[in-house]
Amino acid sequence: DVQLVQSGAEVKKPGESLKISCKASGYSFTNYWIGWVRQMPGKGLEFMGVIYPGDSDTRYSPSFQGQVTISADKSITTASLQWSSLTASDTAFYYCARLKNRSPPDFWGQGTLVTVSS
Amino acid sequence: QSALTQPASVSGSPGQSITISCTGGSSDVGLYESVSWFQQLPSKAPQLIIYDVSDRPSGVSNRFSGSKSGNTASLTISGLQADDEADYYCSSYSSTTAHVVFGGGTRLTVL
């Protein structure tokens, strides 16, 4: 079975760095895209960007370009989302999801809650 | 503002049918046969319920059905049940942005 298992909830202070992860199993990790989706409290889904682990091709939605870094490690079938300096507006649930080329997600991780507060 | 437009809320009584619309444009919903719908139960991750406009993943009830006409996709839920109460999101690939886009979400209330 396809599974995407995300790392646990994080509580951080403004200005701190953070890397959250998404461990994939049950399919060929290098043959599908992995995307990240933000959901701010009480709001809808926002597509942040994607990575193709097969060749590390990475694409960001304009709203998130330069704000986060998406990466993937084929050896451990894990994708990551990283911030160098968090702000309170980064407080949200973050979901990883599997995607086929030019298609919406088909499988989702359980989500990681990131809380940024002084 | 979301790329795809959905009604903010819909409601229906148990046993009734409801339809949620998802309006995009000629570069997303109107162009691709890969429109998907997701159900998000309270405090849960989104779950795929319709893909490729009208296909259902294994295990999803046949009370959920999807269709598309022009730039508008629709999700119909028949025989409403209390546990259908959730947020529903549509999604499509967009040739304009070269990314996946989502609708703003529709909250379904079962009266």
Side-chain angles (χ1 to χ4, degrees), chain A residues 39 44 47 60-61 95 99 102-105 108-109, chain B residues 34 36 38 40 44-46 89 91 93 99-100 102:
Chain A
Q39 187 169 38
F47 194 74
Y60 296 92
S61 178
Y95 295 100
L99 300 89
R102 298 192 176 191
S103 293
W108 295 72
Chain B
S34 58
S36 294
F38 304 98
Q40 188 175 32
K44 296 291 188 182
Y89 294 90
S91 181
Y93 185 80
H99 285 294
V100 166
F102 290 102

mmCIF file with all atom_site columns, all heavy atoms in Angstrom, chain A residues 39 44 47 60-61 95 99 102-105 108-109, chain B residues 34 36 38 40 44-46 89 91 93 99-100 102:
data_model
loop_
_atom_site.group_PDB
_atom_site.id
_atom_site.type_symbol
_atom_site.label_atom_id
_atom_site.label_alt_id
_atom_site.label_comp_id
_atom_site.label_asym_id
_atom_site.label_entity_id
_atom_site.label_seq_id
_atom_site.pdbx_PDB_ins_code
_atom_site.Cartn_x
_atom_site.Cartn_y
_atom_site.Cartn_z
_atom_site.occupancy
_atom_site.B_iso_or_equiv
_atom_site.pdbx_formal_charge
_atom_site.auth_seq_id
_atom_site.auth_comp_id
_atom_site.auth_asym_id
_atom_site.auth_atom_id
_atom_site.pdbx_PDB_model_num
ATOM 1   N N   . GLN A 1 39  ? -1.926  24.462 4.571   1.00 0.00 ? 39  GLN A N   1
ATOM 2   C CA  . GLN A 1 39  ? -3.282  24.796 5.001   1.00 0.00 ? 39  GLN A CA  1
ATOM 3   C C   . GLN A 1 39  ? -3.174  25.609 6.278   1.00 0.00 ? 39  GLN A C   1
ATOM 4   O O   . GLN A 1 39  ? -2.928  25.074 7.358   1.00 0.00 ? 39  GLN A O   1
ATOM 5   C CB  . GLN A 1 39  ? -4.143  23.558 5.214   1.00 0.00 ? 39  GLN A CB  1
ATOM 6   C CG  . GLN A 1 39  ? -5.601  23.903 5.488   1.00 0.00 ? 39  GLN A CG  1
ATOM 7   C CD  . GLN A 1 39  ? -6.509  22.692 5.444   1.00 0.00 ? 39  GLN A CD  1
ATOM 8   O OE1 . GLN A 1 39  ? -6.154  21.606 5.882   1.00 0.00 ? 39  GLN A OE1 1
ATOM 9   N NE2 . GLN A 1 39  ? -7.705  22.870 4.916   1.00 0.00 ? 39  GLN A NE2 1
ATOM 10  N N   . GLY A 1 44  ? -8.110  27.228 3.211   1.00 0.00 ? 44  GLY A N   1
ATOM 11  C CA  . GLY A 1 44  ? -8.081  26.184 2.208   1.00 0.00 ? 44  GLY A CA  1
ATOM 12  C C   . GLY A 1 44  ? -6.680  25.687 1.896   1.00 0.00 ? 44  GLY A C   1
ATOM 13  O O   . GLY A 1 44  ? -5.699  26.027 2.567   1.00 0.00 ? 44  GLY A O   1
ATOM 14  N N   . PHE A 1 47  ? -1.037  25.121 -2.934  1.00 0.00 ? 47  PHE A N   1
ATOM 15  C CA  . PHE A 1 47  ? 0.039   24.309 -3.478  1.00 0.00 ? 47  PHE A CA  1
ATOM 16  C C   . PHE A 1 47  ? 1.350   25.078 -3.396  1.00 0.00 ? 47  PHE A C   1
ATOM 17  O O   . PHE A 1 47  ? 1.457   26.189 -3.900  1.00 0.00 ? 47  PHE A O   1
ATOM 18  C CB  . PHE A 1 47  ? -0.280  23.962 -4.932  1.00 0.00 ? 47  PHE A CB  1
ATOM 19  C CG  . PHE A 1 47  ? 0.570   22.882 -5.485  1.00 0.00 ? 47  PHE A CG  1
ATOM 20  C CD1 . PHE A 1 47  ? 0.382   21.564 -5.107  1.00 0.00 ? 47  PHE A CD1 1
ATOM 21  C CD2 . PHE A 1 47  ? 1.577   23.170 -6.393  1.00 0.00 ? 47  PHE A CD2 1
ATOM 22  C CE1 . PHE A 1 47  ? 1.175   20.556 -5.621  1.00 0.00 ? 47  PHE A CE1 1
ATOM 23  C CE2 . PHE A 1 47  ? 2.371   22.164 -6.903  1.00 0.00 ? 47  PHE A CE2 1
ATOM 24  C CZ  . PHE A 1 47  ? 2.165   20.861 -6.513  1.00 0.00 ? 47  PHE A CZ  1
ATOM 25  N N   . TYR A 1 60  ? 8.580   25.506 -7.794  1.00 0.00 ? 60  TYR A N   1
ATOM 26  C CA  . TYR A 1 60  ? 7.881   26.187 -6.709  1.00 0.00 ? 60  TYR A CA  1
ATOM 27  C C   . TYR A 1 60  ? 6.740   27.034 -7.250  1.00 0.00 ? 60  TYR A C   1
ATOM 28  O O   . TYR A 1 60  ? 6.856   27.665 -8.311  1.00 0.00 ? 60  TYR A O   1
ATOM 29  C CB  . TYR A 1 60  ? 8.846   27.091 -5.939  1.00 0.00 ? 60  TYR A CB  1
ATOM 30  C CG  . TYR A 1 60  ? 9.960   26.348 -5.231  1.00 0.00 ? 60  TYR A CG  1
ATOM 31  C CD1 . TYR A 1 60  ? 11.190  26.142 -5.863  1.00 0.00 ? 60  TYR A CD1 1
ATOM 32  C CD2 . TYR A 1 60  ? 9.794   25.860 -3.933  1.00 0.00 ? 60  TYR A CD2 1
ATOM 33  C CE1 . TYR A 1 60  ? 12.214  25.453 -5.232  1.00 0.00 ? 60  TYR A CE1 1
ATOM 34  C CE2 . TYR A 1 60  ? 10.815  25.187 -3.292  1.00 0.00 ? 60  TYR A CE2 1
ATOM 35  C CZ  . TYR A 1 60  ? 12.023  24.985 -3.942  1.00 0.00 ? 60  TYR A CZ  1
ATOM 36  O OH  . TYR A 1 60  ? 13.036  24.310 -3.306  1.00 0.00 ? 60  TYR A OH  1
ATOM 37  N N   . SER A 1 61  ? 5.645   27.080 -6.520  1.00 0.00 ? 61  SER A N   1
ATOM 38  C CA  . SER A 1 61  ? 4.599   28.038 -6.797  1.00 0.00 ? 61  SER A CA  1
ATOM 39  C C   . SER A 1 61  ? 5.167   29.430 -6.519  1.00 0.00 ? 61  SER A C   1
ATOM 40  O O   . SER A 1 61  ? 5.946   29.602 -5.570  1.00 0.00 ? 61  SER A O   1
ATOM 41  C CB  . SER A 1 61  ? 3.397   27.763 -5.888  1.00 0.00 ? 61  SER A CB  1
ATOM 42  O OG  . SER A 1 61  ? 2.381   28.704 -6.109  1.00 0.00 ? 61  SER A OG  1
ATOM 43  N N   . TYR A 1 95  ? 1.074   19.428 4.327   1.00 0.00 ? 95  TYR A N   1
ATOM 44  C CA  . TYR A 1 95  ? 0.838   18.070 3.846   1.00 0.00 ? 95  TYR A CA  1
ATOM 45  C C   . TYR A 1 95  ? 1.776   17.768 2.684   1.00 0.00 ? 95  TYR A C   1
ATOM 46  O O   . TYR A 1 95  ? 1.949   18.606 1.790   1.00 0.00 ? 95  TYR A O   1
ATOM 47  C CB  . TYR A 1 95  ? -0.598  17.922 3.333   1.00 0.00 ? 95  TYR A CB  1
ATOM 48  C CG  . TYR A 1 95  ? -1.664  18.081 4.391   1.00 0.00 ? 95  TYR A CG  1
ATOM 49  C CD1 . TYR A 1 95  ? -2.346  19.279 4.535   1.00 0.00 ? 95  TYR A CD1 1
ATOM 50  C CD2 . TYR A 1 95  ? -2.006  17.016 5.232   1.00 0.00 ? 95  TYR A CD2 1
ATOM 51  C CE1 . TYR A 1 95  ? -3.329  19.422 5.498   1.00 0.00 ? 95  TYR A CE1 1
ATOM 52  C CE2 . TYR A 1 95  ? -2.987  17.157 6.203   1.00 0.00 ? 95  TYR A CE2 1
ATOM 53  C CZ  . TYR A 1 95  ? -3.636  18.369 6.328   1.00 0.00 ? 95  TYR A CZ  1
ATOM 54  O OH  . TYR A 1 95  ? -4.613  18.505 7.288   1.00 0.00 ? 95  TYR A OH  1
ATOM 55  N N   . LEU A 1 99  ? 2.036   12.828 -6.571  1.00 0.00 ? 99  LEU A N   1
ATOM 56  C CA  . LEU A 1 99  ? 1.376   13.282 -7.791  1.00 0.00 ? 99  LEU A CA  1
ATOM 57  C C   . LEU A 1 99  ? 1.960   12.575 -9.011  1.00 0.00 ? 99  LEU A C   1
ATOM 58  O O   . LEU A 1 99  ? 3.160   12.330 -9.087  1.00 0.00 ? 99  LEU A O   1
ATOM 59  C CB  . LEU A 1 99  ? 1.578   14.778 -8.014  1.00 0.00 ? 99  LEU A CB  1
ATOM 60  C CG  . LEU A 1 99  ? 1.084   15.764 -6.976  1.00 0.00 ? 99  LEU A CG  1
ATOM 61  C CD1 . LEU A 1 99  ? 2.149   16.034 -5.920  1.00 0.00 ? 99  LEU A CD1 1
ATOM 62  C CD2 . LEU A 1 99  ? 0.694   17.073 -7.645  1.00 0.00 ? 99  LEU A CD2 1
ATOM 63  N N   . ARG A 1 102 ? 1.436   16.235 -14.259 1.00 0.00 ? 102 ARG A N   1
ATOM 64  C CA  . ARG A 1 102 ? 0.322   17.074 -14.683 1.00 0.00 ? 102 ARG A CA  1
ATOM 65  C C   . ARG A 1 102 ? -1.017  16.605 -14.121 1.00 0.00 ? 102 ARG A C   1
ATOM 66  O O   . ARG A 1 102 ? -2.044  16.643 -14.809 1.00 0.00 ? 102 ARG A O   1
ATOM 67  C CB  . ARG A 1 102 ? 0.245   17.154 -16.208 1.00 0.00 ? 102 ARG A CB  1
ATOM 68  C CG  . ARG A 1 102 ? 1.481   17.787 -16.822 1.00 0.00 ? 102 ARG A CG  1
ATOM 69  C CD  . ARG A 1 102 ? 1.292   18.116 -18.272 1.00 0.00 ? 102 ARG A CD  1
ATOM 70  N NE  . ARG A 1 102 ? 2.455   18.807 -18.804 1.00 0.00 ? 102 ARG A NE  1
ATOM 71  C CZ  . ARG A 1 102 ? 2.503   19.409 -19.976 1.00 0.00 ? 102 ARG A CZ  1
ATOM 72  N NH1 . ARG A 1 102 ? 1.430   19.415 -20.735 1.00 0.00 ? 102 ARG A NH1 1
ATOM 73  N NH2 . ARG A 1 102 ? 3.598   19.995 -20.369 1.00 0.00 ? 102 ARG A NH2 1
ATOM 74  N N   . SER A 1 103 ? -1.004  16.161 -12.891 1.00 0.00 ? 103 SER A N   1
ATOM 75  C CA  . SER A 1 103 ? -2.222  15.699 -12.234 1.00 0.00 ? 103 SER A CA  1
ATOM 76  C C   . SER A 1 103 ? -2.237  16.134 -10.780 1.00 0.00 ? 103 SER A C   1
ATOM 77  O O   . SER A 1 103 ? -1.174  16.313 -10.178 1.00 0.00 ? 103 SER A O   1
ATOM 78  C CB  . SER A 1 103 ? -2.325  14.174 -12.295 1.00 0.00 ? 103 SER A CB  1
ATOM 79  O OG  . SER A 1 103 ? -2.515  13.721 -13.601 1.00 0.00 ? 103 SER A OG  1
ATOM 80  N N   . PRO A 1 104 ? -3.438  16.276 -10.203 1.00 0.00 ? 104 PRO A N   1
ATOM 81  C CA  . PRO A 1 104 ? -3.527  16.548 -8.762  1.00 0.00 ? 104 PRO A CA  1
ATOM 82  C C   . PRO A 1 104 ? -3.024  15.367 -7.943  1.00 0.00 ? 104 PRO A C   1
ATOM 83  O O   . PRO A 1 104 ? -2.817  14.278 -8.475  1.00 0.00 ? 104 PRO A O   1
ATOM 84  C CB  . PRO A 1 104 ? -5.035  16.765 -8.558  1.00 0.00 ? 104 PRO A CB  1
ATOM 85  C CG  . PRO A 1 104 ? -5.560  17.145 -9.897  1.00 0.00 ? 104 PRO A CG  1
ATOM 86  C CD  . PRO A 1 104 ? -4.730  16.355 -10.872 1.00 0.00 ? 104 PRO A CD  1
ATOM 87  N N   . PRO A 1 105 ? -2.862  15.575 -6.642  1.00 0.00 ? 105 PRO A N   1
ATOM 88  C CA  . PRO A 1 105 ? -2.384  14.486 -5.783  1.00 0.00 ? 105 PRO A CA  1
ATOM 89  C C   . PRO A 1 105 ? -3.327  13.292 -5.771  1.00 0.00 ? 105 PRO A C   1
ATOM 90  O O   . PRO A 1 105 ? -4.536  13.433 -5.982  1.00 0.00 ? 105 PRO A O   1
ATOM 91  C CB  . PRO A 1 105 ? -2.339  15.140 -4.399  1.00 0.00 ? 105 PRO A CB  1
ATOM 92  C CG  . PRO A 1 105 ? -2.238  16.605 -4.647  1.00 0.00 ? 105 PRO A CG  1
ATOM 93  C CD  . PRO A 1 105 ? -3.006  16.831 -5.905  1.00 0.00 ? 105 PRO A CD  1
ATOM 94  N N   . TRP A 1 108 ? -2.013  11.283 0.165   1.00 0.00 ? 108 TRP A N   1
ATOM 95  C CA  . TRP A 1 108 ? -1.587  12.371 1.044   1.00 0.00 ? 108 TRP A CA  1
ATOM 96  C C   . TRP A 1 108 ? -0.943  11.817 2.313   1.00 0.00 ? 108 TRP A C   1
ATOM 97  O O   . TRP A 1 108 ? -1.339  10.744 2.803   1.00 0.00 ? 108 TRP A O   1
ATOM 98  C CB  . TRP A 1 108 ? -2.793  13.219 1.462   1.00 0.00 ? 108 TRP A CB  1
ATOM 99  C CG  . TRP A 1 108 ? -3.465  13.948 0.353   1.00 0.00 ? 108 TRP A CG  1
ATOM 100 C CD1 . TRP A 1 108 ? -4.237  13.409 -0.641  1.00 0.00 ? 108 TRP A CD1 1
ATOM 101 C CD2 . TRP A 1 108 ? -3.472  15.358 0.136   1.00 0.00 ? 108 TRP A CD2 1
ATOM 102 N NE1 . TRP A 1 108 ? -4.704  14.390 -1.464  1.00 0.00 ? 108 TRP A NE1 1
ATOM 103 C CE2 . TRP A 1 108 ? -4.263  15.603 -1.012  1.00 0.00 ? 108 TRP A CE2 1
ATOM 104 C CE3 . TRP A 1 108 ? -2.897  16.446 0.796   1.00 0.00 ? 108 TRP A CE3 1
ATOM 105 C CZ2 . TRP A 1 108 ? -4.475  16.891 -1.521  1.00 0.00 ? 108 TRP A CZ2 1
ATOM 106 C CZ3 . TRP A 1 108 ? -3.117  17.718 0.312   1.00 0.00 ? 108 TRP A CZ3 1
ATOM 107 C CH2 . TRP A 1 108 ? -3.893  17.936 -0.847  1.00 0.00 ? 108 TRP A CH2 1
ATOM 108 N N   . GLY A 1 109 ? 0.018   12.566 2.853   1.00 0.00 ? 109 GLY A N   1
ATOM 109 C CA  . GLY A 1 109 ? 0.495   12.297 4.188   1.00 0.00 ? 109 GLY A CA  1
ATOM 110 C C   . GLY A 1 109 ? -0.526  12.766 5.215   1.00 0.00 ? 109 GLY A C   1
ATOM 111 O O   . GLY A 1 109 ? -1.523  13.406 4.872   1.00 0.00 ? 109 GLY A O   1
ATOM 112 N N   . SER B 2 34  ? -8.032  15.663 -15.817 1.00 0.00 ? 34  SER B N   1
ATOM 113 C CA  . SER B 2 34  ? -7.445  15.165 -14.566 1.00 0.00 ? 34  SER B CA  1
ATOM 114 C C   . SER B 2 34  ? -7.986  15.912 -13.356 1.00 0.00 ? 34  SER B C   1
ATOM 115 O O   . SER B 2 34  ? -7.296  16.057 -12.355 1.00 0.00 ? 34  SER B O   1
ATOM 116 C CB  . SER B 2 34  ? -5.922  15.275 -14.614 1.00 0.00 ? 34  SER B CB  1
ATOM 117 O OG  . SER B 2 34  ? -5.530  16.616 -14.844 1.00 0.00 ? 34  SER B OG  1
ATOM 118 N N   . SER B 2 36  ? -9.699  16.431 -9.951  1.00 0.00 ? 36  SER B N   1
ATOM 119 C CA  . SER B 2 36  ? -9.878  15.573 -8.779  1.00 0.00 ? 36  SER B CA  1
ATOM 120 C C   . SER B 2 36  ? -10.700 16.289 -7.720  1.00 0.00 ? 36  SER B C   1
ATOM 121 O O   . SER B 2 36  ? -10.777 17.525 -7.705  1.00 0.00 ? 36  SER B O   1
ATOM 122 C CB  . SER B 2 36  ? -8.516  15.188 -8.172  1.00 0.00 ? 36  SER B CB  1
ATOM 123 O OG  . SER B 2 36  ? -7.771  14.381 -9.042  1.00 0.00 ? 36  SER B OG  1
ATOM 124 N N   . PHE B 2 38  ? -11.413 16.122 -3.372  1.00 0.00 ? 38  PHE B N   1
ATOM 125 C CA  . PHE B 2 38  ? -10.923 15.622 -2.099  1.00 0.00 ? 38  PHE B CA  1
ATOM 126 C C   . PHE B 2 38  ? -11.940 15.910 -1.006  1.00 0.00 ? 38  PHE B C   1
ATOM 127 O O   . PHE B 2 38  ? -12.579 16.965 -1.003  1.00 0.00 ? 38  PHE B O   1
ATOM 128 C CB  . PHE B 2 38  ? -9.589  16.285 -1.733  1.00 0.00 ? 38  PHE B CB  1
ATOM 129 C CG  . PHE B 2 38  ? -8.537  16.124 -2.794  1.00 0.00 ? 38  PHE B CG  1
ATOM 130 C CD1 . PHE B 2 38  ? -8.301  17.142 -3.704  1.00 0.00 ? 38  PHE B CD1 1
ATOM 131 C CD2 . PHE B 2 38  ? -7.801  14.959 -2.888  1.00 0.00 ? 38  PHE B CD2 1
ATOM 132 C CE1 . PHE B 2 38  ? -7.349  16.994 -4.703  1.00 0.00 ? 38  PHE B CE1 1
ATOM 133 C CE2 . PHE B 2 38  ? -6.850  14.803 -3.879  1.00 0.00 ? 38  PHE B CE2 1
ATOM 134 C CZ  . PHE B 2 38  ? -6.628  15.828 -4.792  1.00 0.00 ? 38  PHE B CZ  1
ATOM 135 N N   . GLN B 2 40  ? -12.180 16.417 3.072   1.00 0.00 ? 40  GLN B N   1
ATOM 136 C CA  . GLN B 2 40  ? -11.388 16.638 4.271   1.00 0.00 ? 40  GLN B CA  1
ATOM 137 C C   . GLN B 2 40  ? -12.307 16.657 5.480   1.00 0.00 ? 40  GLN B C   1
ATOM 138 O O   . GLN B 2 40  ? -13.050 17.622 5.697   1.00 0.00 ? 40  GLN B O   1
ATOM 139 C CB  . GLN B 2 40  ? -10.579 17.936 4.197   1.00 0.00 ? 40  GLN B CB  1
ATOM 140 C CG  . GLN B 2 40  ? -9.608  18.083 5.358   1.00 0.00 ? 40  GLN B CG  1
ATOM 141 C CD  . GLN B 2 40  ? -8.705  19.294 5.251   1.00 0.00 ? 40  GLN B CD  1
ATOM 142 O OE1 . GLN B 2 40  ? -9.079  20.327 4.709   1.00 0.00 ? 40  GLN B OE1 1
ATOM 143 N NE2 . GLN B 2 40  ? -7.485  19.172 5.772   1.00 0.00 ? 40  GLN B NE2 1
ATOM 144 N N   . LYS B 2 44  ? -8.549  16.155 9.807   1.00 0.00 ? 44  LYS B N   1
ATOM 145 C CA  . LYS B 2 44  ? -7.924  15.059 9.065   1.00 0.00 ? 44  LYS B CA  1
ATOM 146 C C   . LYS B 2 44  ? -7.269  15.581 7.791   1.00 0.00 ? 44  LYS B C   1
ATOM 147 O O   . LYS B 2 44  ? -7.541  16.705 7.354   1.00 0.00 ? 44  LYS B O   1
ATOM 148 C CB  . LYS B 2 44  ? -8.974  14.007 8.678   1.00 0.00 ? 44  LYS B CB  1
ATOM 149 C CG  . LYS B 2 44  ? -9.617  13.322 9.862   1.00 0.00 ? 44  LYS B CG  1
ATOM 150 C CD  . LYS B 2 44  ? -8.638  12.419 10.579  1.00 0.00 ? 44  LYS B CD  1
ATOM 151 C CE  . LYS B 2 44  ? -9.339  11.580 11.644  1.00 0.00 ? 44  LYS B CE  1
ATOM 152 N NZ  . LYS B 2 44  ? -8.388  10.725 12.397  1.00 0.00 ? 44  LYS B NZ  1
ATOM 153 N N   . ALA B 2 45  ? -6.429  14.756 7.211   1.00 0.00 ? 45  ALA B N   1
ATOM 154 C CA  . ALA B 2 45  ? -5.821  15.102 5.931   1.00 0.00 ? 45  ALA B CA  1
ATOM 155 C C   . ALA B 2 45  ? -6.846  14.942 4.800   1.00 0.00 ? 45  ALA B C   1
ATOM 156 O O   . ALA B 2 45  ? -7.774  14.144 4.917   1.00 0.00 ? 45  ALA B O   1
ATOM 157 C CB  . ALA B 2 45  ? -4.622  14.200 5.660   1.00 0.00 ? 45  ALA B CB  1
ATOM 158 N N   . PRO B 2 46  ? -6.690  15.674 3.715   1.00 0.00 ? 46  PRO B N   1
ATOM 159 C CA  . PRO B 2 46  ? -7.570  15.463 2.557   1.00 0.00 ? 46  PRO B CA  1
ATOM 160 C C   . PRO B 2 46  ? -7.448  14.032 2.042   1.00 0.00 ? 46  PRO B C   1
ATOM 161 O O   . PRO B 2 46  ? -6.389  13.402 2.151   1.00 0.00 ? 46  PRO B O   1
ATOM 162 C CB  . PRO B 2 46  ? -7.030  16.460 1.522   1.00 0.00 ? 46  PRO B CB  1
ATOM 163 C CG  . PRO B 2 46  ? -6.310  17.491 2.320   1.00 0.00 ? 46  PRO B CG  1
ATOM 164 C CD  . PRO B 2 46  ? -5.725  16.755 3.484   1.00 0.00 ? 46  PRO B CD  1
ATOM 165 N N   . TYR B 2 89  ? -12.800 19.803 -1.704  1.00 0.00 ? 89  TYR B N   1
ATOM 166 C CA  . TYR B 2 89  ? -11.942 20.623 -2.557  1.00 0.00 ? 89  TYR B CA  1
ATOM 167 C C   . TYR B 2 89  ? -11.823 20.001 -3.940  1.00 0.00 ? 89  TYR B C   1
ATOM 168 O O   . TYR B 2 89  ? -11.656 18.789 -4.066  1.00 0.00 ? 89  TYR B O   1
ATOM 169 C CB  . TYR B 2 89  ? -10.536 20.737 -1.971  1.00 0.00 ? 89  TYR B CB  1
ATOM 170 C CG  . TYR B 2 89  ? -10.460 21.494 -0.672  1.00 0.00 ? 89  TYR B CG  1
ATOM 171 C CD1 . TYR B 2 89  ? -10.594 20.846 0.551   1.00 0.00 ? 89  TYR B CD1 1
ATOM 172 C CD2 . TYR B 2 89  ? -10.238 22.872 -0.659  1.00 0.00 ? 89  TYR B CD2 1
ATOM 173 C CE1 . TYR B 2 89  ? -10.517 21.536 1.753   1.00 0.00 ? 89  TYR B CE1 1
ATOM 174 C CE2 . TYR B 2 89  ? -10.159 23.578 0.541   1.00 0.00 ? 89  TYR B CE2 1
ATOM 175 C CZ  . TYR B 2 89  ? -10.294 22.900 1.731   1.00 0.00 ? 89  TYR B CZ  1
ATOM 176 O OH  . TYR B 2 89  ? -10.211 23.601 2.911   1.00 0.00 ? 89  TYR B OH  1
ATOM 177 N N   . SER B 2 91  ? -9.562  20.139 -7.645  1.00 0.00 ? 91  SER B N   1
ATOM 178 C CA  . SER B 2 91  ? -8.187  20.436 -8.036  1.00 0.00 ? 91  SER B CA  1
ATOM 179 C C   . SER B 2 91  ? -7.977  20.065 -9.497  1.00 0.00 ? 91  SER B C   1
ATOM 180 O O   . SER B 2 91  ? -8.592  19.126 -10.012 1.00 0.00 ? 91  SER B O   1
ATOM 181 C CB  . SER B 2 91  ? -7.213  19.648 -7.158  1.00 0.00 ? 91  SER B CB  1
ATOM 182 O OG  . SER B 2 91  ? -5.869  19.933 -7.486  1.00 0.00 ? 91  SER B OG  1
ATOM 183 N N   . TYR B 2 93  ? -4.739  20.447 -12.820 1.00 0.00 ? 93  TYR B N   1
ATOM 184 C CA  . TYR B 2 93  ? -3.457  20.983 -13.272 1.00 0.00 ? 93  TYR B CA  1
ATOM 185 C C   . TYR B 2 93  ? -3.762  22.226 -14.092 1.00 0.00 ? 93  TYR B C   1
ATOM 186 O O   . TYR B 2 93  ? -4.807  22.316 -14.753 1.00 0.00 ? 93  TYR B O   1
ATOM 187 C CB  . TYR B 2 93  ? -2.713  19.956 -14.119 1.00 0.00 ? 93  TYR B CB  1
ATOM 188 C CG  . TYR B 2 93  ? -1.329  20.406 -14.531 1.00 0.00 ? 93  TYR B CG  1
ATOM 189 C CD1 . TYR B 2 93  ? -0.258  20.314 -13.659 1.00 0.00 ? 93  TYR B CD1 1
ATOM 190 C CD2 . TYR B 2 93  ? -1.104  20.933 -15.806 1.00 0.00 ? 93  TYR B CD2 1
ATOM 191 C CE1 . TYR B 2 93  ? 1.007   20.724 -14.028 1.00 0.00 ? 93  TYR B CE1 1
ATOM 192 C CE2 . TYR B 2 93  ? 0.157   21.351 -16.183 1.00 0.00 ? 93  TYR B CE2 1
ATOM 193 C CZ  . TYR B 2 93  ? 1.212   21.249 -15.292 1.00 0.00 ? 93  TYR B CZ  1
ATOM 194 O OH  . TYR B 2 93  ? 2.459   21.668 -15.668 1.00 0.00 ? 93  TYR B OH  1
ATOM 195 N N   . HIS B 2 99  ? 1.371   24.298 -12.520 1.00 0.00 ? 99  HIS B N   1
ATOM 196 C CA  . HIS B 2 99  ? 1.240   23.716 -11.199 1.00 0.00 ? 99  HIS B CA  1
ATOM 197 C C   . HIS B 2 99  ? -0.188  23.230 -11.001 1.00 0.00 ? 99  HIS B C   1
ATOM 198 O O   . HIS B 2 99  ? -1.098  23.567 -11.768 1.00 0.00 ? 99  HIS B O   1
ATOM 199 C CB  . HIS B 2 99  ? 1.544   24.757 -10.112 1.00 0.00 ? 99  HIS B CB  1
ATOM 200 C CG  . HIS B 2 99  ? 2.991   25.069 -9.956  1.00 0.00 ? 99  HIS B CG  1
ATOM 201 N ND1 . HIS B 2 99  ? 3.902   24.141 -9.508  1.00 0.00 ? 99  HIS B ND1 1
ATOM 202 C CD2 . HIS B 2 99  ? 3.677   26.206 -10.181 1.00 0.00 ? 99  HIS B CD2 1
ATOM 203 C CE1 . HIS B 2 99  ? 5.100   24.712 -9.470  1.00 0.00 ? 99  HIS B CE1 1
ATOM 204 N NE2 . HIS B 2 99  ? 4.999   25.956 -9.870  1.00 0.00 ? 99  HIS B NE2 1
ATOM 205 N N   . VAL B 2 100 ? -0.343  22.460 -9.943  1.00 0.00 ? 100 VAL B N   1
ATOM 206 C CA  . VAL B 2 100 ? -1.676  22.066 -9.501  1.00 0.00 ? 100 VAL B CA  1
ATOM 207 C C   . VAL B 2 100 ? -2.340  23.271 -8.847  1.00 0.00 ? 100 VAL B C   1
ATOM 208 O O   . VAL B 2 100 ? -1.688  24.050 -8.143  1.00 0.00 ? 100 VAL B O   1
ATOM 209 C CB  . VAL B 2 100 ? -1.567  20.896 -8.503  1.00 0.00 ? 100 VAL B CB  1
ATOM 210 C CG1 . VAL B 2 100 ? -2.872  20.675 -7.769  1.00 0.00 ? 100 VAL B CG1 1
ATOM 211 C CG2 . VAL B 2 100 ? -1.131  19.628 -9.223  1.00 0.00 ? 100 VAL B CG2 1
ATOM 212 N N   . PHE B 2 102 ? -6.020  24.533 -6.649  1.00 0.00 ? 102 PHE B N   1
ATOM 213 C CA  . PHE B 2 102 ? -7.135  24.046 -5.851  1.00 0.00 ? 102 PHE B CA  1
ATOM 214 C C   . PHE B 2 102 ? -8.286  25.047 -5.878  1.00 0.00 ? 102 PHE B C   1
ATOM 215 O O   . PHE B 2 102 ? -8.075  26.256 -6.086  1.00 0.00 ? 102 PHE B O   1
ATOM 216 C CB  . PHE B 2 102 ? -6.715  23.867 -4.390  1.00 0.00 ? 102 PHE B CB  1
ATOM 217 C CG  . PHE B 2 102 ? -5.762  22.740 -4.145  1.00 0.00 ? 102 PHE B CG  1
ATOM 218 C CD1 . PHE B 2 102 ? -4.408  22.997 -3.950  1.00 0.00 ? 102 PHE B CD1 1
ATOM 219 C CD2 . PHE B 2 102 ? -6.203  21.427 -4.087  1.00 0.00 ? 102 PHE B CD2 1
ATOM 220 C CE1 . PHE B 2 102 ? -3.509  21.961 -3.715  1.00 0.00 ? 102 PHE B CE1 1
ATOM 221 C CE2 . PHE B 2 102 ? -5.319  20.388 -3.857  1.00 0.00 ? 102 PHE B CE2 1
ATOM 222 C CZ  . PHE B 2 102 ? -3.970  20.660 -3.672  1.00 0.00 ? 102 PHE B CZ  1
#
